[in-house]
Amino acid sequence: MKKIKILFAAVLFIVCIFFSSCGKGYEVRVTNYNTELLDTVIVGKDIVIFTKVERQSTTEYRKVTSGDQSIRVITKTKKEYTSTISVPKKGTGKRTIQIDGLNRISVLED
């Protein structure tokens, strides 16, 4: 019985070390410097969705999966802008998707 407890504790310890050493992944947020409200911002295939992003504001961070992800921005007047973001498979970090007054989408690394 005592050997089982020791074995269980050892396995639990190894699992804890394994999960704590894994990367936390990447996160994205949206900053709106456009002249109108952003109704919807979709990152990837409906993976991360931001809604009602006011002018001169920034959203909270949300997790995004690795790989090349599409960015689709729909404004309140139903104008649509697209771009892409490349998210590495390994490591951690934060990215900001920024749309400016000239309707350009920029991806900034924080």
Side-chain angles (χ1 to χ4, degrees):
M1 185 72 169
K2 194 167 191 157
K3 287 183 180 182
I4 293 174
K5 287 182 180 180
I6 293 172
L7 181 63
F8 178 74
V11 170
L12 186 62
F13 179 72
I14 291 170
V15 169
C16 288
I17 289 175
F18 175 74
F19 282 114
S20 66
S21 66
C22 293
K24 303 295 186 239
Y26 280 84
E27 297 176 315
V28 295
R29 68 179 178 181
V30 176
T31 300
N32 182 13
Y33 292 120
N34 201 334
T35 56
E36 60 183 308
L37 175 119
L38 301 181
D39 189 46
T40 307
V41 179
I42 302 169
V43 180
K45 296 178 182 173
D46 298 335
I47 296 171
V48 179
I49 300 176
F50 298 94
T51 57
K52 308 278 189 258
V53 182
E54 295 289 333
R55 292 181 295 170
Q56 304 294 319
S57 68
T58 301
T59 65
E60 71 284 347
Y61 283 104
R62 295 192 184 161
K63 287 197 171 287
V64 66
T65 58
S66 62
D68 292 331
Q69 304 292 338
S70 63
I71 301 170
R72 189 170 149 208
V73 177
I74 303 169
T75 65
K76 186 175 182 179
T77 58
K78 302 303 178 200
K79 294 177 186 172
E80 192 170 320
Y81 308 104
T82 59
S83 186
T84 59
I85 183 173
S86 180
V87 180
K89 291 184 180 185
K90 294 185 178 182
T92 60
K94 295 183 178 189
R95 303 275 200 267
T96 299
I97 300 168
Q98 176 178 304
I99 184 162
D100 62 17
L102 300 174
N103 304 320
R104 288 187 299 212
I105 297 174
S106 304
V107 178
L108 309 170
E109 188 171 342
D110 297 344

